[in-house]
Amino acid sequence: MTGTDQSAARGRLARLARPAVILPVVLLLGAALFSVPFQTRRDQDRWAVELRERGRPAQAYVYDVRTERSRTTVYVRYALDSVTHEQEIACVQVCPAWRSTVPIRVSRTDPGDFVTDYGQLSGHRGRVQGVLGAVGFVLLAVPLVGLAVIGGGRLKDALTARLRGGSRPRPRAVGPVSMPRSKRKHARGRRPND
């Protein structure tokens, strides 16, 4: 690569590094990441409905309930085709009691995938997507708050100038100016001493 090629490449990189280019990219990336948990939730809701309609019915027995760091997990066993499966359920809104049974509908292609009768899918789903959504929120919020703070000051200045009747600031009123003594004598027509 010649020196001219290197300087041209640096010039292109400098143009790409401008805030006018970076800010929209950061905002688009933030919006995309922020939408991930919502899309995941919609997909999970659709999957739960499909499992309720087409899944195989079974009874899950709750053999353990554990709470760690404000997160409760319910452990269940259920039998399909004479095979016992174990799985966990995240306790979000409903927590089945220990030693109770829960009606479930199991996927026909994956015996570890099921939905409970109260709509909770097996396993802990959406954790990674939740983290991505939080990162997206930060990528959206920080630049927008920065723009609001910077732009708010400029907007205030523009509105103040417009309310005053123009874009130029009004001249300030100046009080009487006293002249030095030597100038006052000269102003009265007297000549200063030679």
Side-chain angles (χ1 to χ4, degrees):
M1 194 179 251
T2 65
T4 308
D5 292 338
Q6 287 177 346
S7 64
R10 282 191 207 118
R12 283 193 294 269
L13 282 175
R15 281 193 299 276
L16 285 176
R18 291 182 184 154
V21 174
I22 292 175
L23 184 63
V25 171
V26 169
L27 290 175
L28 284 173
L29 180 62
L33 290 175
F34 186 65
S35 69
V36 167
F38 300 106
Q39 181 63 40
T40 301
R41 186 67 196 166
R42 277 194 300 270
D43 291 346
Q44 288 178 358
D45 289 344
R46 281 190 216 121
W47 180 238
V49 168
E50 188 175 327
L51 279 177
R52 275 195 212 122
E53 292 172 356
R54 298 184 182 154
R56 297 171 59 188
Q59 289 290 322
Y61 171 73
V62 179
Y63 70 90
D64 197 7
V65 178
R66 294 185 190 164
T67 302
E68 297 172 2
R69 287 185 269 157
S70 73
R71 185 176 22 207
T72 302
T73 302
V74 176
Y75 296 90
V76 296
R77 287 189 185 111
Y78 54 98
L80 279 179
D81 301 327
S82 302
V83 177
T84 301
H85 301 276
E86 291 186 0
Q87 189 56 265
E88 60 185 39
I89 307 168
C91 183
V92 179
Q93 294 174 344
V94 178
C95 289
W98 177 56
R99 292 189 176 178
S100 64
T101 57
V102 178
I104 60 173
R105 303 288 279 188
V106 184
S107 169
R108 294 187 183 278
T109 57
D110 181 7
D113 193 8
F114 64 84
V115 65
T116 64
D117 64 336
Y118 54 88
Q120 183 67 42
L121 291 167
S122 59
H124 290 275
R125 303 174 190 226
R127 286 182 182 171
V128 173
Q129 291 87 349
V131 171
L132 291 176
V135 169
F137 177 76
V138 170
L139 287 177
L140 277 173
V142 170
L144 290 178
V145 168
L147 284 174
V149 169
I150 292 168
R154 291 182 184 164
L155 181 62
K156 179 183 169 192
D157 293 343
L159 287 174
T160 305
R162 179 150 310 221
L163 289 174
R164 288 183 179 162
S167 59
R168 286 185 284 164
R170 282 183 157 174
R172 285 191 261 166
V174 179
V177 179
S178 64
M179 296 169 75
R181 234 180 216 181
S182 63
K183 298 275 184 186
R184 271 189 251 152
K185 288 181 185 176
H186 197 49
R188 289 185 200 152
R190 295 183 190 161
R191 289 185 167 187
N193 294 337
D194 292 327

